[in-house]
Amino acid sequence: MAAETAEKMDTDSEVAAREARIKEATLRGEAPIKPEYLKPKPSVSSSSAPSMDATDETKGQKRAAEESVAEAEAADQQEEGGKGKGKGKDGGKGKGKKRQRGMNKNKDRAANSEAMKNVRASQICSRFAYMNHCPQQDSADGSKCKQPHDLDAFYEGKLPDIEQPCPVLARLGVCPAGLNCRYQGHVQDRKNVDKDGVVVTPESEWVKKIPNVGHPPGETNIFSFETVGKLRKKLFDFSKSTEVAKAWQKYCSGGSDTPLGAIVQPDIKPLDVKGKSILAPLTTVGNLPFRRLCVKLGCDVTVGEMALAGSILDGAAPELSLLRRHESEKCFGIQVAGGDVETMSKLAQFIDEHVDCDFVDINCGCPLDEVHRRGAGSRLMARTKAMEGIVRCMQTNLKTKPLTLKMRTADHEEKRHPEFGGRYAHKLVPQLEEWGVSAITLHGRTARQRYTKLADWDYTKECSSRRATNTPFIACGDVLSWEEAEEHKAQHGADAIMVGRGALMKPWLFTEMSEKRHWDISASERLDLIRDFTHYGLDHWGSDGRGVETTRRFLLEWLSFTCRYVPIGLLEQMPPKINWRPRPYVGRSDLETKLASPSAKDWVEITEMFLGKVPDGFTFIPKHKSNAYDAPTGGAQEEAQDVQG
């Protein structure tokens, strides 16, 4: 009996100690990791060690929140379509190395492209590399190819092969990168051959199926030279959309009693998203290969990276490439941003006639100044008349595609809206329904808050309740577990859940949501997902030197987020929360420890498992200042490796 009592006391003591550890960690904003996995803290003398009592708990929470600002700014740039230049400042006080915070500006990241230029310069003509002949090499009509065709010079300066079979050849049966490919298995006697060893020529069936390295099979929204040329030369016929915009302008000037002339009621196209999981539009990391990975893991609806309306209508190649869609994306939407009614009206016509997508989303959430200067992003929320004109005109010009809109709770809190602390999205919800949107997405923060506070799901519920019709209501903010997704659908009026940062940290969240279970994914399974991403990247960007390095850079950007995932088998409390920050820990294997590393040097080593060694002069400066990799003299140099701030 005494032994049983002692055993019960020991158990009670262990439970109490565990609960105390969990409380202490969560008060500091840290993930409650099992003590056997935590790395020892640096030793501090008792005389210099600060004491922590009950009165310090709130301070600890405040410090944790303040330290989250760096991570928040990085995520903000990614999820809300941040194409602007960040304004982050170096943090830290006192002597020693300052903490790197905020976003690296485009000029700071210019070094990222230097090695790429060198790689591109080492390549031979892409047509010659693929078909072993360039039809324009000896052209006499003035269209002679200006790319290099000298094989001897090419092989003399060619980057060393990656000693792995070409993954593109294995999947497609031919490698469009041809002689430029960094991998092995399809070059014989300086000729590009297919899987059967047959030399590829301009007359091959392969060329009819896959014209060149820029036309991956299974992808749509690859625009012809004729279409792009019309956009660039302003020859595209936008007469229909211009008339719609003029009708709106006439209404605004008092010359008409109805917003769009004869059109009294908008023709709202249905969009079925109820109960579905949706990947948020994620700038940089929401690229096509990452979306393919999320679809494989169970994502139902994907949205492309935010594209600027004016740049699309100018025929800008980088912006048009953001509209690409893979055949695996069964329900795919494109997100656009713009603040001018006529421009957005024209864009809607172009999308309706030339873009393969299932819906079009208006960005009213981007908090960055460069987008605001165009009157777009979250600034459009405060320009209600312009928002109405854009929604009405786009909805009218989209004859076959539903129109949706994603917004925050407000651009910033305004005193003239005192009812909910200055937020006013609840007032816009019924108006948007009247104007003609097919679905509304709400991110439960103001633009000014960025990600420094948790999303307000009570206010999200309030906005959902303001719907006048049964318009689908999509909600997002801080979801990192399937329980949270189910809770928000059941209690906060969400018809569907959109996931942003949670998908970056653990894209298998979509599997958990669809199967309603936690997945204690192993390190080897996570590595398989990284391999899948690299293969999708090589399919999309090519397996030549340029494609390999493009894939590497986007993989590095993703690794800067997924390293923040703490395996659930290491946690003392479930479900995990997105604002928990891990203390340094060791995983259950060397690979799991490496995948958790905040060091950019380790990220680069992970990419080298699949993409070969980085080229000379390789530099990686991510969008967030907290991590960088620089090898100007062939060595690796880590700078400010603490990605968590």
Side-chain angles (χ1 to χ4, degrees), residues 245-538:
K246 285 181 178 179
W248 168 255
Q249 292 165 1
K250 184 177 181 180
Y251 168 73
C252 291
S253 63
S256 173
D257 295 330
T258 56
L260 297 179
I263 303 173
V264 180
Q265 292 294 331
D267 178 22
I268 301 176
K269 293 85 179 173
L271 180 63
D272 180 20
V273 295
K274 188 174 179 62
K276 295 184 178 180
S277 58
I278 306 172
L279 176 65
L282 302 163
T283 295
T284 303
V285 282
N287 48 69
L288 185 145
F290 183 75
R291 299 198 305 270
R292 283 186 66 182
L293 182 67
C294 291
V295 168
K296 178 182 178 180
L297 291 167
C299 179
D300 298 315
V301 182
T302 54
V303 187
E305 302 175 63
M306 185 194 79
L308 297 175
S311 299
I312 292 175
L313 297 182
D314 288 339
E319 218 72 18
L320 289 170
S321 69
L322 299 179
L323 307 181
R324 294 275 188 102
R325 176 186 191 171
H326 190 264
E327 61 186 359
S328 64
E329 299 180 270
K330 300 307 180 185
C331 185
F332 171 70
I334 63 170
Q335 189 186 65
V336 295
D340 179 70
V341 174
E342 185 174 355
T343 299
M344 294 291 273
S345 180
K346 290 179 178 179
L347 177 66
Q349 180 189 334
F350 174 76
I351 292 172
D352 196 63
E353 296 174 356
H354 293 276
V355 178
D356 171 30
C357 65
D358 297 295
F359 63 94
V360 181
D361 185 67
I362 301 173
N363 180 305
C364 286
C366 181
L368 300 179
D369 290 340
E370 184 171 311
V371 178
H372 286 180
R373 282 193 288 270
R374 304 168 189 265
S378 63
R379 183 60 53 83
L380 190 58
M381 292 183 66
R383 302 174 59 232
T384 312
K385 204 66 178 177
M387 177 189 274
E388 179 183 358
I390 287 172
V391 171
R392 287 188 182 277
C393 291
M394 290 189 71
Q395 200 277 340
T396 301
N397 285 306
L398 290 170
K399 306 297 184 184
T400 61
K401 299 173 174 63
L403 180 68
T404 67
L405 184 141
K406 183 173 185 279
M407 62 181 174
R408 293 219 182 193
T409 58
D411 179 30
H412 60 275
E413 298 88 344
E414 295 186 6
K415 293 181 180 179
R416 61 192 179 97
H417 300 289
E419 188 178 1
F420 290 97
R423 296 169 294 181
Y424 49 87
H426 63 283
K427 296 183 178 180
L428 293 173
V429 168
Q431 292 178 301
L432 289 169
E433 291 183 298
E434 179 189 348
W435 300 339
V437 299
S438 298
I440 299 169
T441 303
L442 182 70
H443 178 180
R445 297 179 178 87
T446 67
R448 178 173 290 178
Q449 285 176 333
R450 301 285 180 107
Y451 284 79
T452 55
K453 294 182 181 179
L454 294 176
D456 189 339
W457 282 93
D458 290 333
Y459 183 69
T460 298
K461 180 180 180 180
E462 178 64 33
C463 291
S464 175
S465 69
R466 296 299 181 103
R467 289 178 288 173
T469 62
N470 199 28
T471 302
F473 188 81
I474 305 164
C476 65
D478 305 331
V479 175
L480 192 63
S481 67
W482 69 268
E483 292 103 326
E484 290 173 311
E486 291 300 307
E487 175 190 351
H488 298 323
K489 285 188 286 187
Q491 299 181 16
H492 297 118
D495 294 315
I497 298 297
M498 179 177 282
V499 183
R501 287 183 297 162
L504 294 178
M505 292 171 64
K506 45 180 275 190
W508 53 93
L509 173 59
F510 293 111
T511 304
E512 296 181 337
M513 290 170 63
S514 63
E515 299 179 3
K516 295 182 174 56
R517 68 176 179 93
H518 289 294
W519 182 4
D520 189 9
I521 187 171
S522 68
S524 60
E525 288 173 318
R526 291 172 66 187
L527 195 66
D528 287 341
L529 296 182
I530 293 173
R531 178 185 291 107
D532 288 340
F533 177 89
T534 59
H535 289 176
Y536 296 156
L538 296 172

Side-chain angles (χ1 to χ4, degrees), residues 99-258:
R99 177 173 295 156
Q100 298 291 314
R101 286 183 175 177
M103 307 307 300
N104 284 302
K105 298 181 180 180
N106 292 338
K107 64 179 182 180
D108 299 325
R109 291 161 52 83
N112 281 4
S113 61
E114 290 302 316
M116 183 73 74
K117 291 178 181 178
N118 296 332
V119 168
R120 188 163 57 246
S122 69
Q123 296 185 175
I124 203 168
C125 167
S126 60
R127 287 182 289 267
F128 188 94
Y130 179 28
M131 301 179 286
N132 301 292
H133 174 73
C134 175
Q136 294 182 332
Q137 185 176 359
D138 302 315
S139 175
D141 62 359
S143 60
K144 185 174 181 180
C145 180
K146 298 179 181 178
Q147 299 301 313
H149 300 86
D150 187 335
L151 275 177
D152 291 332
F154 165 68
Y155 275 103
E156 185 177 342
K158 188 178 186 293
L159 293 171
D161 285 346
I162 298 171
E163 295 182 358
Q164 298 177 25
C166 176
V168 177
L169 176 73
R171 283 189 301 282
L172 302 183
V174 69
C175 177
L179 305 181
N180 285 324
C181 180
R182 292 287 311 281
Y183 294 86
Q184 299 177 339
H186 55 82
V187 177
Q188 298 177 6
D189 300 324
R190 293 189 171 187
K191 297 286 186 181
N192 183 36
V193 300
D194 64 12
K195 61 180 181 179
D196 299 319
V198 178
V199 175
V200 180
T201 67
E203 293 75 30
S204 297
E205 288 298 318
W206 290 114
V207 176
K208 297 177 183 177
K209 182 180 178 182
I210 309 172
N212 55 58
V213 71
H215 286 69
E219 292 189 18
T220 57
N221 299 333
I222 302 173
F223 304 101
S224 66
F225 288 113
E226 181 184 4
T227 300
V228 176
K230 284 184 177 180
L231 289 172
R232 292 177 178 175
K233 297 175 182 178
K234 308 301 179 186
L235 299 177
F236 202 94
D237 182 9
F238 285 119
S239 56
K240 291 186 292 184
S241 52
T242 301
E243 286 302 314
V244 173
K246 285 181 178 179
W248 168 255
Q249 292 165 1
K250 184 177 181 180
Y251 168 73
C252 291
S253 63
S256 173
D257 295 330
T258 56

